[in-house]
Every structure is written in structure tokens, then in C-alpha cells.
Amino acid sequence: MLRTHTCGELTLKNAGNSVVLCGWLQRSRDLGGMTFIDLRDRYGITQLVFNMETNASLCEAARKMGREFVIRVHGRVTERSNKNLKMPTGEIEISVDSFEILNEAKTPPFTIEENTDGGEDLRMKYRYLDIRRSPVKEALLLRARVAAETRNYLNKVDFIEVETPVLIKSTPEGARDFVVPSRMNPGEFYALPQSPQTFKQLLMVAGMDKYYQIVKCFRDEDLRADRQPEFTQIDCEMSFVEQEDILNTFEGLVRHLFDAVKNCNIGELPRMTYAEAMQNYGNDKPDIRFEMKLIDFSTLSKGKNFKVFDEAGVVLAICAKGCSEYTRKQLDELTDWVKRPQIGATGLVYARYNTDGSIKSSVDKFYSPEDLKLWMEKCNAAPGDLVLILAGEEHKTRKAMSELRLEMGSRLGLRDKDNYRALWVLDFPLLEWSEETQRWHAMHHPFTSPKPEDVGLLTSDPGKVRANAYDMVINGVEVGGGSIRIFNKELQQKMFGILGFSPEDAQAQFGFLMNAFEFGAPPHGGIAFGFDRLCSLFGGADSIRDYIAFPKNNAGRDVMIDSPAKISAEQLKELQISIHKP
Amino acid sequence: MLRTHTCGELTLKNAGNSVVLCGWLQRSRDLGGMTFIDLRDRYGITQLVFNMETNASLCEAARKMGREFVIRVHGRVTERSNKNLKMPTGEIEISVDSFEILNEAKTPPFTIEENTDGGEDLRMKYRYLDIRRSPVKEALLLRARVAAETRNYLNKVDFIEVETPVLIKSTPEGARDFVVPSRMNPGEFYALPQSPQTFKQLLMVAGMDKYYQIVKCFRDEDLRADRQPEFTQIDCEMSFVEQEDILNTFEGLVRHLFDAVKNCNIGELPRMTYAEAMQNYGNDKPDIRFEMKLIDFSTLSKGKNFKVFDEAGVVLAICAKGCSEYTRKQLDELTDWVKRPQIGATGLVYARYNTDGSIKSSVDKFYSPEDLKLWMEKCNAAPGDLVLILAGEEHKTRKAMSELRLEMGSRLGLRDKDNYRALWVLDFPLLEWSEETQRWHAMHHPFTSPKPEDVGLLTSDPGKVRANAYDMVINGVEVGGGSIRIFNKELQQKMFGILGFSPEDAQAQFGFLMNAFEFGAPPHGGIAFGFDRLCSLFGGADSIRDYIAFPKNNAGRDVMIDSPAKISAEQLKELQISIHKP
């Protein structure tokens, strides 16, 4: 090695040692007689000292180096007079005897420090410089740690990591596939997997019993702010299990991760049905770091001649603790907030429970003080609280109220990033009706099994059928989801029929799986975790981007390597495809 | 869980216990009063016993089940009267109280046993059944184990696993890329990586210091017998290193893998230069499980009026120990063997050193007994040995002789699969001349650095420049290779120039890397191991296919899922591409 130590390991114990360090020049301070340089590598920062009095030419040479120069220094570890106890190497410095410049550096386009002046675009273009910054570097180290601990846990409980293929077949169900033209089979295409779903089920048919993989998946979707065309899943499947076994095994995984990576005990995960989650939180991924449940005011508020409420499908309230002093301006601003198209409410009704015990509402003229008192009782409000009410079509109003609840939670500081609250949401509906396509869609995916007691409803009332499906939710984020699968050919065929597949289409697309079910398929089920999201959650970040070494932007471009790009005419010819003229 | 135990864990210690097992019916034997069933899962096989006398109806029901039925049995662990000490569960059996059929099975298309009657095509089509067979299952378990131990070792020495992107940019250097049309950027394509080479180098520029990844790579090549369009690499890179550091680190990895997975100490790896390997073995991946080095007879054999030798670029011999009794027929067959187009020799000369001390050669009339005696001395032959000689153009003859050496090694049983001999081959040439393209090609890749002492030759005599490149070879198979990289923009530009890139093309294709070198690139180098091949080597198999869960055939097809396949007109329209009419 070109070095004897890294920049993160020397302490007072090494005082007097001769050492060789390599790294990047983070910062240089010229104090007249002395020059101090912070030398940085992945492991930390070590201070170098050059002395004008003892070696003027060396000190002068050192002063000529710019930020991000790569250097190699020989020197002695000495105790600092001015100690910095905040950093592991802060009690020592290196009295440099000699150094060599391994590589020079142009001035970086943004400062490579904890907080940078670089905008998102610039940082992405020079991602290799951005990664030198401590927050991004730490994010990638954290990701590696979460992956390693995931493997440790799963290996220990007999899961086998199996790689499934990346070049597979396009299927119409689900999101849009990326496809890969096959040169050897002209006119035909591979597809990149949106998940290894069918392969992991085949591995269960194959008797692998417990499978996992930390695996890249692909979706050609119009990207929202925090989606990537390629993303990573922790993908798992088990045989001879019931839902309870999956919940226990993967609650164990997540508990282990929090323990090993965050040194934090998240306790047992509470469980909530989909129906309860929708009722109490208006959301199938409730943030349970705070209460503020949705209260149904429908019965209480109707029949008092307030047309908005009388005609509403539902009237919902939340109680914001300690907010009775909200000013008119604040309430107007909140009203504007709920009326934004993303939220979609038509207006906001409030009722303040003043600290003097009086109640003041924006709809006083329809409701007597006694009526309002009942409202307060219904939502367990106390003097000093503020009740916020939305009304309208049920689904839309629940959704809007869920957003308002989260917003109020944020405003009240109830959503601390370091407070982790995980839960299971269970008993999802198997199917949801799409007005757009006028057919049933699988809420999870077409391989999810209905609850045995609901199978009869498949024909009579498909929307009522509950699935053996479960999501793990942490702090309002769905980090994982899965189901017990169908493992019987007839039921799988029936499911494809309900989803609008002709028997021929079902056979053409998924025949390999249904045929496999005829050769002794075991009962099985599994789960997949969004690994990028899980890592960002562990890191306390909102965006997944810094947890991906080389992410793409919202147009699906890698601006660093400038991809996608044109390919040569010869490549197109070999693939026997043409590009449409614009 | 549907079971209390697996089929691989019950022993005499459990005698008397009530247990529940799940698995596949491997075999059923009806012995009149008793029926025995072997129940199989991933973990092993457990014998079930049904008794006509004690429970006739249960026994009759059991007899009705076919092979590969999936069942769940309740019963008691009892000591066997007829023990099978070859299997872990061989001292017990399960007296079955009740069972249920979890899933029926059609008769499998081939027998699911250690040795199957299924041909390659059938086994691939029903891969999920093939994996149930012990040799394939064990191959996949071995693969998972090698991956886990690779991570254990690399994590312990501070390597960080970083995922690099799968959707990257097509580059003209190297093999043919698979490409992915971008819907959001019509007319443009991503490419799938042939390796994460440039990304791992950027991670070094980014200061990640030690990187690894077990990663899928892709090459759109016409497939030879044992190539796959998608394959897996153990990909590694380190900063602030010299060649010696890489060799030590990864010799350590491979030693660890042999120790942990095969319980075998492979000792220190010998090192050999490329020049030595070519001279002594005619091969840059020599199989050193046996000697039989290539001996240069050129000086010794010329000038005796044997035209074939006199006109040959080189005359090469090997000494096959103990083969002097080869019959005429055997020698003719060997002559035919070397004349096959794959070997390409024009003929084979032999000289037997008979056990009586006489020497008999096919070219006796040109060489005196004294001449032949000198031949024997030159190759250290003893009475009883057979010397085989090829002559012709140097490169071709060395290659042919290498093949003959390997063939003779195999025939003589010198290539035992359980005898592992690993070595490093060093000092590869940096460049090789291609007659086809009439230009220099990088022997390793364009990022490999020349030896500093040879840099001067880059302009004057490029073919003489040695690279800081190294291969790890085990039993004649190149399992890994790498190099110390160029980390300086000017040298990298010069290298692209030698490879025939215009400055503009070099900048367009690899500008992102060369620009990165200007912002403080550290000295760095790395290595990549062919993971599929490494696993097959550990498993003692010639083919990599059984070490891949879902391999493709030689036409690049997955015959199980029938991929690649046509995609819909709508997909093509969205991608703005058309397929050429045949």
C-alpha cells in the first residue's frame, strides 16, 4: 500500500510513530509561521502541519497546493497543542517530513464540504465529487451496512440468495417494461424485470424453500420526484408458510436492522387492517408517530341546515392539540392549502375550543354552542384545541383529510425523523375497480391469494374479497409489501379471468407459471422491501437519491455519463430495428 | 409454519416426538403390509411409514399418491429397524398418524433423482423441476455460499458494496452491448453494462477507497457452449495501491473461499509472467496441476534435412510420462486429434523411449539414434516415456501444443477436479495487434496502465509495452483478471489515441472519466472474478449452467418462459421504433 494508515485511525497512542498517509487536500490554513492542511480520505480527516521555521521550502511547496489535490505524506504523529475532541484524530497531527503530489486537481465546481454551494444538477453531473462530501459518502456507507445486515439476518435463518435473470419477458400486467431487442432473435425482445415475482415463485416450486435476493428492478414510468427507473428490492419468498410466519420472519428482519444499524429497538409491530387504516387515518400507510385520528362527524353534523355537510358523503374532523390560538391568517392559509389541486378539498371548516371554554366555529350560524360542545366531546378535544373539518365525497375527503392530518403533524413537530414507528397493515382488498379501464385490477399483483373464507365472493362480489396481503409501514412510508400466493392452477386461471385476460392470453403470458403449479407447487408467500427507500428512512432523509451512488434525474437521464444516447447505425442494423423520424 | 421440522433434521434424539413435516413425495415403496415413502425438501429426505395392519385406510390413501405430490404429515419419530447410516435422518422414520395432500402433481417429464433421464432441453424447459434434483440444488446452494463468503471476507477488510447502474451508455470498445430504447428520450438508448469498469473507477475518484459488488454483466455475443448473455462478476477496486497489494488482497479472498467452502488450503499462489506461461505452456492460463512443459526443439531438430522441421517457425515437444507403449492405433488417433480444425496442427511426430532403452521415432530416417538420445535428454525423458512433437508457425504451434498437453494430461489422469492449483499470471502485453481491424487493441481494456518503465515504448514499439495487468488462473481456467489503472488524463488520452480513437470520439465516449481524472484521481487498481465460472470450479463441474438458477440456451433463449418474445405494437409505438420486415 502507498500508505501505512488511513486518515481516520491515528490517535495519541500512535504519538511518535513514523507514518505515511494518502488522501485529498480538504482545506489549507496558512497562519504565517505554520501551515495546516486537513487531509481527507473515506475514513476521516487528519491534520498535517508544516513549519516555516524548521522547513521553509517544504512549507512553501505545501502552500502551493489547491483543494482536492491528491497527496502522499511522510511524517511523524505528534500531540496537538490545540486539541479538537470532536474528531477521532483530533488529539494528534502529522509533522510532515516530505510529501509528493500524486495527482493535481482543478478547482471543483462546488465546495466539497458538509454543506455545499452546488445545485442539484451540478452535483449530479459531478457525482464523483459529490460522493466525496460527507453526507453522500455516509449515505452510501449506510446503504452497504443495511445490505450486509439484511444478508446476515436472512442467511442465519436459512434463506438462500439466488440470482434471477435480468433478461426476461415482457408482460402486460403492471407498469411499463423496459425492453431489450434481441439480435439473435430478430423482431423479439427481452424485458427487464419489474420484480423477480414469477421467478421467486418458481424457486418455491423448485423446492428452494427460503429465497432472498437484493436485486435491481426496472420500471419505465414517467418519473415523479422520487422515483428511479432502476431501483433495488430486498426480495423474499418462503414455502410451507401462513401469513403469520411471514409477518414474524420479516418483523424480525426489520427489528434486526434497526438494532444493528441504528442501535434502536422498535418493539413489536402493531397490526392494523386496511379498513381500520382507511377509517382512522384515511391512508393505507398511516404515520402512527402521532394520533390525530380522523373522526366521522357525519351523524353529528347533518340535519342542521348546513347544506355542505348535509349533502356530503362524509364529514371528517381532526383535532389539532393546542392550536386554538391559530390566527385568522393562519386558518386562511390552511384553507388555501387544502384547496390546492394536490389536496382537492373544496373548503375547510374549523372550530376553536378556546382556553376560556367557549367554542368558536366558522359555521356558528348553523350549529348551537351545544352542538359544538358535542363536536368537541366526539373528538376528545380540550380547551386550547382546534378542530378542523372537511366534507365531501368519501374517498376523496378521506384522502384530503389524511394529507391535512400529516401537514398538521408536521407543523406541530409530531413527525420526528429519529422516532421510528413501524406497523403492519393487513387484509387489503384483493381487487380494485378501475374506472379508466372498466375492469378489476389486482391491488397487489395477480398472484396474491384471496382469503379462503372470501373465495366465494370472487364471482358474486369481487370488490369485497380480502387478500392475504400485508404491507409494512414505517413513519407513513410503505417500506415493504407482500402476500401469500395462489399455488393452484385453477384459482390462478380464475384470477386472470377476473382481471380480464382471455384464457389464451393468460396461458401465453403466464403459462410457464401455471404449468409449474401442476407439478407439485407448495403453499408459499413472500414480501419485497424497497431497499432505496428503506435506506433513506434509516438515514433520516426524504429523498432516495443520495442513497443511490449514480442516480438518474427526473427525465431518466444520467447527466454524468450523458445517457441515454444515440447508438450507431451499425448497431441498429444488427438489431434489425429503425427509429421513427421525428 | 405448516411444519414443526424440516426433512433433514430429525435424528434418534427426536425419537418419540410428535412432528409435522411437509415436502415432496420422492419415492414410494409398497411392501405388502407396509408402505414406505421418502419425503423430500431442500434440507433432506425423511422416511415415512404407513402400516396396513394398524391403519389400513391411511395406508391405502398413501399408496394412491404419485411422485412429487406435496404433502403434510403428522406422526411420531420412531427408531428404524433397518438403519441407513449414509443419511443424517437414516436412523429414524415417521410413523404417520394422518396426512393431507397440499398439492397434487402430474407425472414429471423426467425423473427427479440424482441422475435423471431428462435431456438438456427438457430439463431447461422444466427448470423448476430440474432444480429439485440434488446436484442442481446443491450447485445453487454452493453458489449462495461462495457469494456469502466473498462478502464476509471483503466486508471484513473494509470493502464497501456499492451498486452501480444497469442502465448506462453504449461504448464501441469491447464486446457488443445490449441496448434499451428510452421512451422518454426517443431515438436514444441505454446500454446494459459489460462490466461496471468506469463506474468503479469513478468510485475511486469519489474517494470510496475500497469497492466491491457481486454484479450482473451483459454481453450480446454469439454464444459458445459455455457463455451466457448475462453473467455475474465479483467486481473490486482499491485506491492507493500497487499491483502487489491487489495480488495479496485477492489471493487472500480466494484462499478464504477455498478454506471456508471447500475446507482446503491452496497454499501461496505461485507467480508466472505471461512470457513464461506462453513459453512453458503455450497458454496464458496454464493448468499447473501437472508439468509436461513445452520444450523447444527448434535448435536441436533443425539442419537434419527434415524439411517440415527445417521450415517450421518453431518445433515443440512434450514428454508424456509412461506412454511409450502407445499403440500405432493410439498414435494415429492422436494424430487425427491434433489435425482437427479446432487444434489445427498439420501432423504429429513422436519418439518412443522404449523400456529397453531404444528410441523409436516416426522420423527415424532423418535423425540418428544419437540425435534422438539428445531429444530425450532435452526433455528429461526416461525409458517408458513418449515424446510428442509439433512444428509450424510459432503462435499457432504453441497453441496447438498447449491443447495437446491438456489432452494428454486428461488422458493420463493428471487433471483431478479435486486437486486445485491456482497461480497468478503477470506482466501481460498492454496491446495486441489485430490483423482484422489493422489496429492495436487493448489486451485487458483501455484503462489498464502500462508499466512505468515501458511508457517510452508506447510510441516507438507499442507491442512491447507490458501492462500492470494480472490474471488469476485455477486449474487452467482464468477465474479473474485485473490491472492497475491509468489515473491521469493525458496518459488516458494517449491510450485512446493508440487504440484508434479520434480525440473527439474519446471525449464523447469517455469524457466523463477523463474529466474526472482532472479533479484529483487517486492511484487505483482492481480485479474482477467470473463468479459463475468460479462456482462451477468449486463444484467440480465443467459447465457453468447448473450454477445459474435460470440459464439461457445457446441461442440466448430462456426456453422455460419462452423469452425473448414479440412485444405489442403499442409498446413499439411508445418507444418510437420499428422492426425491419424480414
Side-chain angles (χ1 to χ4, degrees):
Chain A
M1 299 289 292
L2 297 179
R3 64 193 173 202
T4 57
H5 295 80
T6 69
C7 296
E9 63 180 312
L10 294 170
T11 64
L12 267 185
K13 280 185 211 152
N14 306 92
N17 293 2
S18 278
V19 297
V20 185
L21 297 185
C22 292
W24 285 261
L25 190 158
Q26 167 88 5
R27 218 148 56 105
S28 180
R29 275 157 300 143
D30 178 3
L31 304 182
M34 313 270 267
T35 289
F36 295 96
I37 285 180
D38 284 348
L39 189 69
R40 184 196 71 233
D41 67 11
R42 188 185 103 196
Y43 310 92
I45 286 178
T46 298
Q47 179 167 295
L48 311 178
V49 58
F50 300 80
N51 196 320
M52 237 4 216
E53 271 179 40
T54 56
N55 193 337
S57 66
L58 190 75
C59 191
E60 273 163 8
R63 285 176 184 178
K64 285 192 188 126
M65 295 191 294
R67 283 192 176 224
E68 301 305 318
F69 270 46
V70 187
I71 60 177
R72 183 184 190 210
V73 304
H74 295 253
R76 262 166 311 100
V77 181
T78 50
E79 184 167 1
R80 272 203 219 180
S81 53
N82 199 353
K83 294 195 172 69
N84 176 351
L85 296 177
K86 281 187 203 150
M87 49 194 286
T89 62
E91 294 188 90
I92 59 98
E93 62 194 5
I94 309 297
S95 301
V96 178
D97 296 323
S98 68
F99 73 87
E100 58 188 299
I101 295 173
L102 297 172
N103 219 337
E104 301 196 351
K106 293 203 298 194
T107 305
F110 50 85
T111 54
I112 296 178
E113 295 197 345
E114 192 88 9
N115 295 308
T116 181
D117 54 353
E120 178 85 0
D121 289 351
L122 206 56
R123 288 174 48 212
M124 285 300 146
K125 180 163 181 198
Y126 296 94
R127 184 64 167 174
Y128 45 86
L129 299 180
D130 202 27
I131 294 173
R132 289 188 194 162
R133 292 175 50 240
S134 180
V136 185
K137 179 192 78 179
E138 292 299 335
L140 296 181
L141 296 182
L142 175 76
R143 182 183 178 105
R145 188 114 191 268
V146 177
E149 290 297 344
T150 298
R151 291 194 167 92
N152 283 349
Y153 176 88
L154 292 173
N155 289 344
K156 202 171 282 176
V157 293
D158 276 338
F159 279 78
I160 294 295
E161 189 166 22
V162 182
E163 293 172 57
T164 53
V166 176
L167 296 172
I168 66 164
K169 190 163 79 166
S170 189
T171 59
E173 190 66 19
R176 202 185 286 106
D177 286 322
F178 282 106
V179 298
V180 181
S182 167
R183 182 182 53 87
M184 290 211 278
N185 304 273
E188 297 190 330
F189 293 76
Y190 301 101
L192 305 182
Q194 294 178 33
S195 93
Q197 183 62 34
T198 51
F199 288 96
K200 70 175 172 174
Q201 292 193 242
L202 289 172
L203 286 172
M204 295 302 103
V205 178
M208 290 306 282
D209 204 72
K210 291 176 176 179
Y211 143 92
Y212 82 97
Q213 191 181 188
I214 300 182
V215 60
K216 275 278 174 77
C217 300
F218 306 86
R219 264 181 217 167
D220 183 12
E221 284 179 338
D222 299 313
L223 301 177
R224 283 185 268 141
D226 210 23
R227 282 273 181 103
Q228 289 282 319
E230 53 180 299
F231 55 97
T232 304
Q233 273 186 197
I234 304 172
D235 192 50
C236 308
E237 198 79 5
M238 300 170 79
S239 288
F240 302 117
V241 290
E242 295 165 304
Q243 176 169 304
E244 193 61 31
D245 304 309
I246 306 262
L247 300 187
N248 289 335
T249 302
F250 293 97
E251 185 166 329
L253 168 62
V254 170
R255 216 199 310 278
H256 170 77
L257 291 179
F258 272 99
D259 182 34
V261 178
K262 302 289 292 183
N263 194 22
C264 144
N265 178 357
I266 56 162
E268 270 191 35
L269 270 62
R271 297 172 182 197
M272 193 183 291
T273 65
Y274 172 84
E276 287 165 351
M278 292 309 290
Q279 184 176 342
N280 292 328
Y281 301 94
N283 198 322
D284 60 2
K285 33 183 194 284
D287 184 342
I288 59 167
R289 281 174 296 186
F290 63 107
E291 277 274 317
M292 211 189 286
K293 288 183 183 167
L294 278 53
I295 311 291
D296 195 330
F297 268 23
S298 303
T299 319
L300 213 57
S301 65
K302 292 198 177 196
K304 303 284 178 171
N305 295 320
F306 180 43
K307 216 175 138 191
V308 174
F309 285 4
D310 285 351
E311 291 177 356
V314 72
V315 181
L316 293 174
I318 53 172
C319 173
K321 292 276 163 204
C323 293
S324 72
E325 315 258 292
Y326 258 42
T327 62
R328 183 72 216 196
K329 199 177 150 196
Q330 281 176 299
L331 287 163
D332 285 348
E333 185 263 330
L334 212 52
T335 306
D336 290 343
W337 190 91
V338 299
K339 287 163 103 172
R340 297 184 317 155
Q342 303 96 300
I343 311 298
T346 48
L348 176 69
V349 169
Y350 67 85
R352 310 170 188 272
Y353 202 163
N354 294 317
T355 45
D356 66 6
S358 67
I359 304 170
K360 170 80 190 133
S361 162
S362 52
V363 289
D364 277 351
K365 62 178 162 176
F366 302 104
Y367 298 92
S368 69
E370 291 69 34
D371 291 335
L372 295 177
K373 186 81 199 208
L374 287 175
W375 287 13
M376 295 300 135
E377 280 167 17
K378 176 89 179 177
C379 41
N380 222 358
D385 293 350
L386 173 71
V387 170
L388 299 169
I389 305 165
L390 298 177
E393 184 272 318
E394 168 139 19
H395 179 75
K396 227 174 117 179
T397 306
R398 283 206 182 276
K399 209 169 151 288
M401 192 47 121
S402 167
E403 294 296 330
L404 179 59
R405 173 183 175 270
L406 291 172
E407 176 66 18
M408 291 308 296
S410 295
R411 291 187 186 199
L412 291 169
L414 302 173
R415 304 178 73 193
D416 174 9
K417 278 178 179 157
D418 294 325
N419 174 22
Y420 292 97
R421 293 293 303 278
L423 79 154
W424 288 109
V425 179
L426 307 174
D427 298 355
F428 279 81
L430 183 69
L431 301 158
E432 53 187 351
W433 181 257
S434 161
E435 284 300 329
E436 193 191 330
T437 60
Q438 286 290 307
R439 69 166 176 94
W440 292 106
H441 285 252
M443 193 149 178
H444 192 62
H445 56 50
F447 314 106
T448 296
S449 66
K451 289 207 175 284
E453 61 269 34
D454 291 357
V455 167
L457 296 167
L458 272 175
T459 322
S460 58
D461 195 353
K464 281 264 165 60
V465 179
R466 290 165 308 154
N468 276 321
Y470 30 82
D471 276 357
M472 187 186 285
V473 175
I474 304 179
N475 291 3
V477 174
E478 181 207 322
V479 295
S483 63
I484 300 298
R485 324 299 184 187
I486 297 169
F487 67 109
N488 166 288
K489 182 172 181 171
E490 287 68 40
L491 186 54
Q492 188 66 68
Q493 275 175 325
K494 181 165 191 168
M495 186 69 183
F496 281 125
I498 292 169
L499 297 174
F501 282 74
S502 71
E504 295 72 31
D505 281 353
Q507 188 61 32
Q509 296 294 338
F510 297 106
F512 62 96
L513 184 66
M514 290 190 290
N515 293 347
F517 286 172
E518 292 194 301
F519 290 102
H524 61 285
I527 195 166
F529 292 89
F531 186 62
D532 308 295
R533 171 61 61 210
L534 195 64
C535 291
S536 74
L537 194 82
F538 274 85
D542 288 325
S543 166
I544 61 172
R545 233 175 250 189
D546 278 348
Y547 295 80
I548 297 172
F550 299 102
K552 293 184 176 56
N553 73 10
N554 285 350
R557 293 199 73 83
D558 181 330
V559 294
M560 180 185 72
I561 64 169
D562 195 20
S563 163
K566 299 220 181 310
I567 59 174
S568 70
E570 194 190 344
Q571 281 175 296
L572 290 170
K573 195 177 153 200
E574 280 194 321
L575 296 170
Q576 306 194 26
I577 58 172
S578 321
I579 297 167
H580 294 177
K581 298 281 167 287
Chain B
M1 296 289 292
L2 297 179
R3 64 193 173 203
T4 57
H5 295 80
T6 70
C7 296
E9 65 180 311
L10 293 170
T11 64
L12 268 185
K13 279 186 210 150
N14 306 93
N17 293 2
S18 280
V19 298
V20 186
L21 298 185
C22 292
W24 285 262
L25 190 157
Q26 167 89 3
R27 219 148 56 105
S28 181
R29 275 157 299 144
D30 178 4
L31 305 182
M34 312 270 266
T35 289
F36 296 95
I37 285 181
D38 283 347
L39 189 68
R40 185 197 69 232
D41 67 10
R42 187 184 104 196
Y43 310 92
I45 286 178
T46 298
Q47 180 167 292
L48 311 178
V49 59
F50 299 81
N51 197 320
M52 233 10 210
E53 273 180 39
T54 56
N55 193 338
S57 65
L58 190 74
C59 190
E60 274 163 8
R63 285 177 183 176
K64 285 192 188 126
M65 294 190 295
R67 284 193 174 222
E68 302 305 318
F69 271 47
V70 186
I71 61 176
R72 183 186 190 207
V73 305
H74 295 253
R76 263 166 312 100
V77 181
T78 50
E79 185 168 0
R80 274 203 219 180
S81 52
N82 198 354
K83 294 195 172 69
N84 176 352
L85 296 177
K86 281 188 202 148
M87 48 194 288
T89 63
E91 294 188 90
I92 59 99
E93 61 193 6
I94 309 296
S95 301
V96 178
D97 297 323
S98 68
F99 72 88
E100 58 189 298
I101 295 173
L102 296 172
N103 218 337
E104 301 196 350
K106 293 203 299 195
T107 306
F110 50 84
T111 54
I112 297 177
E113 295 196 345
E114 191 88 8
N115 295 309
T116 180
D117 56 352
E120 177 85 1
D121 288 351
L122 206 57
R123 289 173 49 211
M124 285 300 147
K125 180 163 180 196
Y126 296 94
R127 184 64 167 174
Y128 46 86
L129 298 180
D130 202 27
I131 295 174
R132 288 188 196 163
R133 292 175 50 240
S134 181
V136 185
K137 179 193 78 180
E138 292 300 334
L140 296 181
L141 296 183
L142 175 76
R143 183 184 177 104
R145 187 113 189 269
V146 178
E149 290 297 344
T150 299
R151 290 194 167 92
N152 283 349
Y153 175 87
L154 292 173
N155 289 344
K156 201 171 282 175
V157 292
D158 276 339
F159 278 78
I160 294 296
E161 190 165 21
V162 181
E163 293 171 58
T164 53
V166 176
L167 297 172
I168 65 164
K169 190 163 79 166
S170 189
T171 59
E173 190 66 17
R176 202 184 286 106
D177 286 322
F178 282 106
V179 297
V180 181
S182 167
R183 182 183 53 88
M184 289 212 276
N185 304 272
E188 298 189 328
F189 293 75
Y190 301 101
L192 305 182
Q194 294 179 33
S195 92
Q197 183 63 34
T198 50
F199 288 96
K200 70 175 172 175
Q201 292 193 243
L202 289 172
L203 286 171
M204 295 302 104
V205 178
M208 291 305 282
D209 205 70
K210 292 176 175 178
Y211 143 93
Y212 82 98
Q213 192 181 187
I214 300 183
V215 61
K216 275 277 175 75
C217 300
F218 306 85
R219 264 181 218 169
D220 183 11
E221 285 180 339
D222 298 314
L223 301 178
R224 283 184 269 142
D226 210 24
R227 282 273 181 103
Q228 289 282 319
E230 54 179 298
F231 55 98
T232 304
Q233 274 185 199
I234 306 172
D235 192 50
C236 309
E237 198 79 4
M238 300 170 79
S239 289
F240 302 116
V241 289
E242 294 165 304
Q243 176 169 301
E244 193 60 31
D245 304 309
I246 307 261
L247 300 187
N248 289 335
T249 303
F250 293 97
E251 185 165 329
L253 168 63
V254 171
R255 216 199 310 279
H256 171 77
L257 292 180
F258 273 99
D259 182 34
V261 178
K262 303 288 292 182
N263 195 23
C264 145
N265 179 357
I266 55 162
E268 270 192 33
L269 270 61
R271 297 174 182 195
M272 192 183 291
T273 65
Y274 172 84
E276 287 164 354
M278 292 310 290
Q279 184 176 338
N280 292 328
Y281 301 93
N283 198 322
D284 61 1
K285 33 183 194 285
D287 184 343
I288 59 167
R289 279 174 298 185
F290 63 108
E291 278 276 316
M292 211 189 284
K293 288 182 182 169
L294 278 53
I295 311 291
D296 195 330
F297 268 22
S298 303
T299 318
L300 214 54
S301 65
K302 292 200 178 195
K304 303 285 178 173
N305 296 319
F306 181 42
K307 215 175 139 193
V308 173
F309 284 6
D310 284 352
E311 291 177 356
V314 74
V315 181
L316 293 173
I318 55 171
C319 173
K321 291 277 162 203
C323 291
S324 71
E325 315 260 291
Y326 258 41
T327 62
R328 182 74 215 195
K329 199 177 149 197
Q330 282 177 297
L331 288 163
D332 286 347
E333 186 263 326
L334 214 51
T335 306
D336 289 343
W337 192 90
V338 299
K339 287 163 102 173
R340 298 184 315 157
Q342 304 95 300
I343 311 299
T346 49
L348 176 68
V349 169
Y350 67 85
R352 310 168 189 275
Y353 202 162
N354 295 317
T355 45
D356 64 6
S358 66
I359 303 170
K360 170 79 190 132
S361 163
S362 51
V363 290
D364 276 351
K365 63 174 160 178
F366 301 106
Y367 298 92
S368 69
E370 290 70 33
D371 291 335
L372 296 176
K373 186 81 198 198
L374 286 175
W375 287 12
M376 294 303 137
E377 279 167 18
K378 176 88 177 178
C379 43
N380 222 359
D385 293 350
L386 173 70
V387 170
L388 299 169
I389 305 165
L390 297 178
E393 185 272 317
E394 168 139 17
H395 179 75
K396 230 174 116 180
T397 306
R398 284 206 181 275
K399 208 167 154 288
M401 192 47 122
S402 167
E403 294 296 329
L404 180 58
R405 173 182 175 271
L406 292 172
E407 176 66 18
M408 290 308 295
S410 294
R411 292 187 185 199
L412 291 170
L414 302 172
R415 304 178 72 192
D416 174 9
K417 278 178 179 160
D418 294 326
N419 174 22
Y420 292 98
R421 295 291 304 276
L423 79 154
W424 287 108
V425 179
L426 307 175
D427 298 354
F428 278 81
L430 183 69
L431 301 160
E432 52 186 351
W433 181 256
S434 162
E435 286 299 329
E436 193 191 330
T437 60
Q438 286 289 309
R439 69 164 176 95
W440 293 104
H441 284 253
M443 194 148 179
H444 192 63
H445 57 48
F447 314 106
T448 296
S449 66
K451 289 208 175 281
E453 60 269 34
D454 292 357
V455 166
L457 296 167
L458 272 175
T459 322
S460 58
D461 194 354
K464 282 262 165 61
V465 179
R466 290 165 307 155
N468 276 321
Y470 31 81
D471 277 357
M472 187 187 284
V473 175
I474 304 178
N475 291 4
V477 174
E478 180 207 322
V479 295
S483 64
I484 300 297
R485 324 299 184 187
I486 297 169
F487 68 108
N488 165 288
K489 182 172 181 170
E490 285 69 38
L491 185 55
Q492 188 66 67
Q493 275 174 326
K494 181 165 192 170
M495 185 71 183
F496 281 124
I498 292 168
L499 297 174
F501 281 74
S502 71
E504 296 70 31
D505 281 353
Q507 188 61 32
Q509 295 295 340
F510 296 107
F512 62 94
L513 184 65
M514 290 191 288
N515 292 348
F517 286 173
E518 294 195 300
F519 290 101
H524 61 286
I527 194 165
F529 292 89
F531 186 61
D532 308 293
R533 171 59 61 208
L534 195 65
C535 292
S536 74
L537 193 82
F538 273 84
D542 289 325
S543 165
I544 61 172
R545 234 175 250 187
D546 278 348
Y547 295 81
I548 297 172
F550 299 102
K552 292 185 176 58
N553 73 9
N554 286 350
R557 292 200 74 82
D558 181 330
V559 295
M560 181 185 72
I561 63 169
D562 194 23
S563 161
K566 299 220 181 312
I567 58 173
S568 70
E570 196 189 342
Q571 282 175 295
L572 291 170
K573 195 177 150 198
E574 279 193 323
L575 296 171
Q576 305 195 27
I577 59 173
S578 324
I579 297 166
H580 294 177
K581 296 281 168 285

